[in-house]
Each structure stands twice: as structure tokens, then as C-alpha cells.
Amino acid sequence: NVIGGMIIMDESIKDEILQAAKEEFLTFGYQEASMRNIASKAKLTTGSLYYRFIDKAELFDAIVGQDASNLLNMFIQAQENFATFSVMKQIKEMESYTHSKMKEMIDYIYNHFDSFQLIICKSNGSKYEYFIDSMVDIEVKNTKRFIQDLKKKNIPVHDVDDNLNHILCTSLFRAIFEVVVHQMQKKEAIEYIDKVYRFYEVGWMELLGVKF
């Protein structure tokens, strides 16, 4: 339907297109997915599909964009909220706060698992290829901020080289998203991530030369 020059897409047709596209992207990945195949699966002509979606990028974004944005915003909000705590409160509540927010994020990932399988495993060539890197950058920034907060309170703490900080944060988040790569059951994923976090927690305390 066209109203005032704008395309108004029938919701049932839109759902069929998005389901067909999701299947195509999950099977072949973003780079190898075919608009022709998606149109065929949705029982549309290729022209009719392009009339509704400009290209693969718009289709992929329609499937995963909101979920990616929501998870990233959850993470940013958790970091910003933690930064408002006093240094002593950050130290005291770091473990419980991190576990609580990590659990919320895992819940969200598993409630939208197909989206994150596409983002983490099938997004090469799309703008979501570097989704994990976006989270890493936030973690790197906040790790540096935390170290500076400790120093301002005259709490003895070792400096951590920027490259090492980035490497460790990258390895942590890649480890976390392995639950998606391996399609772990949620219960198993929670146990796995808890162990991974504890491993990194001990390592960071050793690097910083502090005990909380």
C-alpha cells in the first residue's frame, strides 16, 4: 500500500519477509545471503522485496537493530550508574553489582537469542560485525575511570597499560559471547559466565595490586 508517496507495509507481509530473511541470514550469514532467496522464501518477486527494503543492510538492521541497541544501552546504563557510586561503594558492591547486571544482560540475550546469534556469528560484512568491540570500548573506558577514582582517593593501585587493558577487556567479552557461539543452554551459560568473571576478577585484582 502507498499513502501520500510513503510505502505502508502490511504487517503480515513484513513478518513473512523478516522470517524469511532471518532464516537466510542464519543459514548463509550476512555476506552470502541473497535477496533473491529471501524474496522466494517470502513468496514475493525480487522487485517487490526491494520495493519494501532497500538492501540486505536494511533487512538485517530490521531484524537485529533494536535488540543490539537495547543490550548496548543496558550495558552503558549499568556502567554509568556504577560510576555515580562513591569509590568505597564501588569497591564494596562491585561483585554483587556486576553479577546482577550480567544476569540481566544474559536474560536479554537468551530472550532474543536468534538476534544475537546473527550479530555474533553471522554479521561479517555488516555494521554489526564490530558489536563486541563497541562493548569492549565502553569497558576499557570505565576500567580506566575506576583506576583513576582509586588514585584520587589515595588507594595504592598499579597502572595498567592501555594495550593490556584493551586485550583483557576484549578477551573477556569474546569469552562471554562464546555462550552464543556454542548455543549453550541458558543455565549452562550462566554457570560458565560466572566462572569466567571470577577468573578475570582475580586476575584484575592481581594486576592492580589491590584486594577488595
Side-chain angles (χ1 to χ4, degrees):
N1 298 326
V2 180
I3 299 178
M6 294 180 62
I7 300 171
I8 306 300
M9 197 182 313
D10 183 280
E11 284 302 311
S12 63
I13 295 175
K14 181 179 179 181
D15 289 345
E16 288 177 12
I17 291 172
L18 294 181
Q19 184 57 42
K22 181 190 289 188
E23 292 173 5
E24 179 76 3
F25 288 131
L26 283 170
T27 301
F28 298 104
Y30 177 82
Q31 286 184 318
E32 300 301 322
S34 161
M35 290 289 276
R36 185 180 298 276
N37 287 349
I38 293 168
S40 178
K41 289 176 183 177
K43 297 179 175 60
L44 296 171
T45 65
T46 305
S48 181
L49 177 59
Y50 277 111
Y51 187 64
R52 293 170 168 85
F53 289 95
I54 296 171
D55 53 21
K56 286 194 297 185
E58 187 178 11
L59 255 177
F60 200 79
D61 191 57
I63 296 168
V64 308
Q66 191 62 59
D67 291 336
S69 178
N70 287 347
L71 186 69
L72 196 59
N73 287 334
M74 285 173 65
F75 183 54
I76 291 170
Q77 186 59 50
Q79 293 279 11
E80 290 180 348
N81 185 54
F82 186 72
T84 66
F85 295 171
S86 68
V87 172
M88 297 313 296
K89 185 176 181 180
Q90 289 182 50
I91 292 171
K92 181 180 179 182
E93 298 190 11
M94 179 185 293
E95 183 176 353
S96 61
Y97 184 88
T98 301
H99 278 276
S100 171
K101 296 303 177 181
M102 190 67 72
K103 175 64 165 54
E104 290 177 14
M105 291 173 63
I106 292 301
D107 285 344
Y108 191 83
I109 289 169
Y110 273 82
N111 286 335
H112 305 84
F113 197 81
D114 282 352
S115 287
F116 289 101
Q117 194 170 21
L118 287 170
I119 293 166
I120 303 305
C121 306
K122 305 290 183 176
S123 65
N124 284 356
S126 79
K127 69 179 184 180
Y128 296 97
E129 181 177 356
Y130 302 104
F131 178 78
I132 292 178
D133 296 311
S134 299
M135 302 191 80
V136 168
D137 289 343
I138 296 164
E139 182 72 9
V140 166
K141 176 184 175 182
N142 281 277
T143 300
K144 291 178 69 172
R145 190 268 318 153
F146 177 64
I147 292 171
Q148 291 305 313
D149 283 355
L150 293 177
K151 288 183 175 181
K152 288 176 184 176
K153 290 297 182 180
N154 296 316
I155 297 173
V157 58
H158 297 158
D159 283 320
V160 176
D161 177 84
D162 285 347
N163 286 333
L164 180 58
N165 185 9
H166 188 271
I167 288 168
L168 291 175
C169 291
T170 299
S171 64
L172 170 61
F173 277 88
R174 294 204 178 279
I176 288 170
F177 281 104
E178 281 294 297
V179 303
V180 175
V181 175
H182 292 283
Q183 300 184 43
M184 292 184 185
Q185 295 297 312
K186 185 179 177 181
K187 182 175 183 295
E188 181 186 7
I190 291 171
E191 293 173 354
Y192 165 86
I193 290 173
D194 181 65
K195 291 175 182 177
V196 167
Y197 175 74
R198 290 182 185 280
F199 176 84
Y200 277 88
E201 183 180 43
V202 172
W204 269 108
M205 294 306 99
E206 177 68 23
L207 281 174
L208 296 175
V210 293
K211 291 184 179 180
F212 299 148

